[in-house]
């Protein structure tokens, strides 16, 4: 199992929002940009519109777990920012993973691989 490298600097998030490409579904928004470190880096955000702290934490856990199933197939050299939407906390991670898979395939950064069980 590969470790998830996290985006931590505000400037990295801002660069993804302003200069990055975005792909939207009802469960999650993905912003992606190329990075110079040739590694996969991920940031997960939730706004207060989603709900209280418990609900926002659940949304982040669901997004993290959904990404964990795809991490080996994502091409290196990209920064990804996943933004939870209103329906994310109520969804299962497998459902969110299917949405992420479609989004990353549409963006062209997901390599072909085995389907999750």
């Amino acid at each position: 199992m590969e470790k998830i490298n996290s985006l931590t600097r505000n400037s990295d998030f801002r660069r993804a929002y302003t200069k990055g490409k975005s792909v939207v579904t009802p469960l999650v928004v993905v912003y992606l940009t190329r990075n110079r470190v040739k590694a996969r880096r991920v940031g997960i955000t939730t706004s207060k519109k989603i709900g209280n702290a418990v609900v926002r934490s659940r949304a982040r856990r669901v997004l993290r777990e959904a990404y964990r199933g795809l991490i080996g197939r994502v091409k290196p050299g990209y920064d990804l920012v996943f933004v939870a939407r209103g329906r994310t906390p109520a969804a299962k991670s497998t459902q969110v993973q299917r949405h992420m898979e479609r989004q990353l395939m549409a963006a062209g950064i997901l390599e072909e691989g085995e389907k999750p069980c």
Side-chain angles (χ1 to χ4, degrees):
M1 184 71 52
E2 192 173 333
K3 183 180 183 295
I4 296 176
N5 294 330
S6 296
L7 284 177
T8 54
R9 295 177 26 200
N10 188 30
S11 60
D12 292 333
F13 280 90
R14 292 178 145 253
R15 187 169 45 86
Y17 293 142
T18 58
K19 293 185 168 55
K21 179 180 177 183
S22 65
V23 186
V24 180
T25 64
L27 292 178
V28 65
V29 180
V30 178
Y31 293 92
L32 52 118
T33 55
R34 301 236 3 133
N35 63 32
R36 295 180 184 153
V37 294
K38 302 298 180 211
R40 300 173 197 97
R41 298 190 306 176
V42 178
I44 297 175
T45 60
T46 55
S47 81
K48 286 192 174 184
K49 292 179 185 178
I50 302 297
N52 64 16
V54 174
V55 174
R56 291 193 307 268
S57 292
R58 168 153 172 76
R60 283 191 294 270
R61 284 194 311 270
V62 167
L63 289 174
R64 197 175 306 114
E65 186 58 34
Y67 176 70
R68 190 168 281 132
L70 298 173
I71 192 169
R73 295 173 52 199
V74 176
K75 292 179 184 175
Y78 286 93
D79 288 343
L80 304 171
V81 176
F82 295 108
V83 180
R85 303 210 53 200
R87 292 171 40 186
T88 307
K92 301 284 186 191
S93 63
T94 53
Q95 183 181 13
V96 175
Q97 185 175 350
R98 284 194 302 271
H99 281 265
M100 278 184 187
E101 188 173 22
R102 280 189 224 119
Q103 288 172 312
L104 297 176
M105 285 288 247
I109 66 164
L110 195 66
E111 297 171 346
E112 290 297 323
E114 70 280 351
K115 293 282 184 184
C117 296

